[in-house]
Amino acid sequence: QKEVEQNSGPLSVPEGAIASLNCTYSDRGSQSFFWYRQYSGKSPELIMSIYSNGDKEDGRFTAQLNKASQYVSLLIRDSQPSDSATYLCAVKLTGGGNKLTFGTGTQLKVEL
Amino acid sequence: ETGVTQTPRHLVMGMTNKKSLKCEQHLGHNAMYWYKQSAKKPLELMFVYNFKEQTENNSVPSRFSPECPNSSHLFLHLHTLQPEDSALYLCASSQDSAGKLFFGSGTQLSVL
């Protein structure tokens, strides 16, 4: 089993819709979770972090964490074409020190 | 200066060449990282430095040799690389072990 799993997509949503991106992880003791956005040909940039069960909202973005089920998700409301990118889930595994383990990413396409 | 700068942006080298990648961070962070990003694969952590001391070597072949002279600068020395080493090499920095990484723009490396 991969340590951090994401559906590679592409996930296509119409403009204005809610995009839902999911990530599961194998280490039950993990405490820190991050979402990075990577535009084609660019480097990843951090958009959300979440540490506690429940929802965390930042503008159009909402991160959701369920440690019992070992999944973390990212919702993007009112999706815009500029949201088209690859979204990387990253988890700080137990005993990993400074190490983040990344998923392969989900490609999101927001269509006009 | 932007937060994390990497040079060069693109590099083509033969298998017998020796080259170096350079990274500089202007964020006052104390941890620096080298990551490798290949198509269809998750970001792979290569090396971690904390306060210029190497704290992680993720089983990286010796043809990759990191150097961290101070907390702001990081190098990756390359020699006798293989074609499968062709990838995007990303430098990142973070404050302590918070897990929030700031990435440079990357070096796209092609080994012929």
Side-chain angles (χ1 to χ4, degrees):
Chain A
Q1 182 186 6
K2 294 179 182 176
E3 292 177 305
V4 180
E5 288 205 62
Q6 294 181 257
N7 187 320
S8 61
L11 172 66
S12 294
V13 299
E15 183 179 6
I18 296 175
S20 178
L21 304 161
N22 300 312
C23 171
T24 58
Y25 58 94
S26 59
D27 180 5
R28 183 170 289 279
S30 299
Q31 297 293 324
S32 305
F33 308 86
F34 306 86
W35 283 99
Y36 286 80
R37 177 177 62 199
Q38 186 172 23
Y39 291 114
S40 180
K42 301 293 185 182
S43 57
E45 58 176 327
L46 179 68
I47 53 172
M48 290 286 287
S49 60
I50 188 166
Y51 307 98
S52 303
N53 276 330
D55 295 0
K56 179 181 177 182
E57 188 175 315
D58 184 0
R60 294 187 297 112
F61 298 98
T62 299
Q64 299 176 318
L65 175 60
N66 184 324
K67 291 184 180 178
S69 300
Q70 295 175 238
Y71 83 77
V72 57
S73 61
L74 180 70
L75 302 179
I76 306 175
R77 289 183 300 282
D78 188 25
S79 296
Q80 301 297 309
S82 58
D83 294 324
S84 298
T86 296
Y87 290 80
L88 306 174
C89 174
V91 178
K92 203 168 177 189
L93 302 179
T94 306
N98 280 22
K99 182 177 175 179
L100 277 187
T101 300
F102 285 82
T104 52
T106 298
Q107 184 184 6
L108 173 66
K109 293 184 177 181
V110 180
E111 299 167 332
L112 295 171
Chain B
E1 285 284 359
T2 54
V4 182
T5 55
Q6 281 187 250
T7 55
R9 291 295 304 274
H10 302 274
L11 179 61
V12 179
M13 58 188 290
M15 290 165 50
T16 58
N17 291 158
K18 290 184 180 181
K19 296 287 184 183
S20 296
L21 309 184
K22 179 183 176 182
C23 177
E24 182 175 0
Q25 59 100 357
H26 307 274
L27 300 169
H29 291 164
N30 50 38
M32 296 188 76
Y33 311 75
W34 281 115
Y35 277 88
K36 175 183 178 183
Q37 188 172 37
S38 305
K40 305 297 183 185
K41 289 186 177 181
L43 276 167
E44 296 175 55
L45 178 65
M46 300 176 73
F47 301 104
V48 182
Y49 279 82
N50 268 293
F51 293 102
K52 76 178 184 176
E53 299 295 325
Q54 187 179 121
T55 57
E56 182 109 18
N57 176 336
N58 209 28
S59 302
V60 180
S62 60
R63 57 185 184 270
F64 295 92
S65 174
E67 179 189 359
C68 188
N70 55 59
S71 294
S72 299
H73 293 84
L74 186 63
F75 297 88
L76 188 62
H77 304 299
L78 316 171
H79 64 99
T80 59
L81 293 191
Q82 304 299 309
E84 59 265 30
D85 296 323
S86 299
L88 179 67
Y89 289 84
L90 291 161
C91 174
S93 70
S94 73
Q95 183 61 33
D96 300 318
S97 60
K100 297 180 180 179
L101 300 176
F102 291 79
F103 286 90
S105 53
T107 295
Q108 187 65 53
L109 173 67
S110 296
V111 182
L112 304 178

